[in-house]
Amino acid sequence: MHDLGSGSVLAQLEALVDGWDGSIERRYCHLANAAAFLYEQMADIIWLGFYLTFGSEGTLMLGPFQGKLACTDIQFGRGVCGKAAQEGKSVRVADVHTFVDHIACDSASNSELVVPLFDSNHQVVGVLDVDSSSFSRFSEDDQQLLEGAAKILSRALWT
Ligand code: SME
């Protein structure tokens, strides 16, 4: 297992999601493979997946993921995912037990990183969420690389 530390990982991700046909089904298909791929590339994580916006109600719904089953619906502004979606900014939490309003899908999770995905109008269309059982698992470098992954996915699957 590697960590998400090289440009080649992002290049592989880009190749993996190339050729989107514009359909929602194919978007989910590519996101499923992206979740499996990124999950394999990162050491010491217990969950990685997507929550996607739907309708105009400011709600995130569980999308493709790897890990244990998870909560299905998260309102914008709620939890780490909802905060990242509402603010359109990454949220990196060293100790989720100190994060007011953290949504504990898995009690084994101790740190978390959430990065938003955007469409071509810079509207938030979802988030990429990663959890670890280690405290302070995610570094600034991890954040930058996952933001790179989110950018690739946003460009490939929402434009
Ligand atoms: N912990 C997240 C909820 C999603 S799970 O981690 C898969 C949150 O606080 O938004």
Side-chain angles (χ1 to χ4, degrees), residues 4 10 13 38 42 48 90 113-117 128-130 138 140-153:
L4 195 61
L10 293 183
L13 178 69
L38 292 171
M42 294 192 82
L48 181 147
S90 300
L113 172 60
V114 181
V115 305
L117 294 106
L128 169 55
D129 178 18
V130 196
F138 304 105
E140 177 64 34
D141 283 354
D142 291 317
Q143 181 175 328
Q144 281 182 19
L145 282 155
L146 282 184
E147 285 171 354
K151 203 169 177 180
I152 286 168
L153 296 171

Side-chain angles (χ1 to χ4, degrees), residues 65-139:
F65 70 96
Q66 297 276 305
K68 288 190 178 171
L69 58 86
C71 7
T72 57
D73 298 78
I74 299 176
Q75 298 295 316
F76 271 46
R78 299 294 316 279
V80 187
C81 291
K83 183 179 164 77
Q86 186 170 60
E87 297 184 352
K89 284 195 298 207
S90 300
V91 182
R92 184 156 48 100
V93 184
D95 177 355
V96 296
H97 309 287
T98 65
F99 187 92
V100 177
D101 200 33
H102 168 252
I103 301 166
C105 294
D106 182 347
S107 59
S109 175
N110 285 317
S111 63
E112 181 162 9
L113 172 60
V114 181
V115 305
L117 294 106
F118 300 95
D119 66 14
S120 51
N121 296 320
H122 209 68
Q123 297 299 304
V124 172
V125 290
V127 298
L128 169 55
D129 178 18
V130 196
D131 288 85
S132 175
S133 58
S134 297
F135 291 95
S136 305
R137 160 64 185 84
F138 304 105
S139 64

Side-chain angles (χ1 to χ4, degrees), residues 4 7-21 25-41 48 50 64 66 128 149 152-157:
L4 195 61
S8 76
V9 169
L10 293 183
Q12 286 179 71
L13 178 69
E14 196 153 25
L16 201 61
V17 298
D18 189 36
W20 179 48
D21 64 6
E25 291 85 354
R26 185 67 62 187
R27 175 188 288 148
Y28 270 76
C29 166
H30 285 317
L31 288 176
N33 263 344
F37 175 68
L38 292 171
Y39 187 77
E40 273 204 344
Q41 299 299 319
L48 181 147
F50 300 94
Q66 297 276 305
L128 169 55
I152 286 168
L153 296 171
S154 296
R155 214 168 28 215
L157 303 176

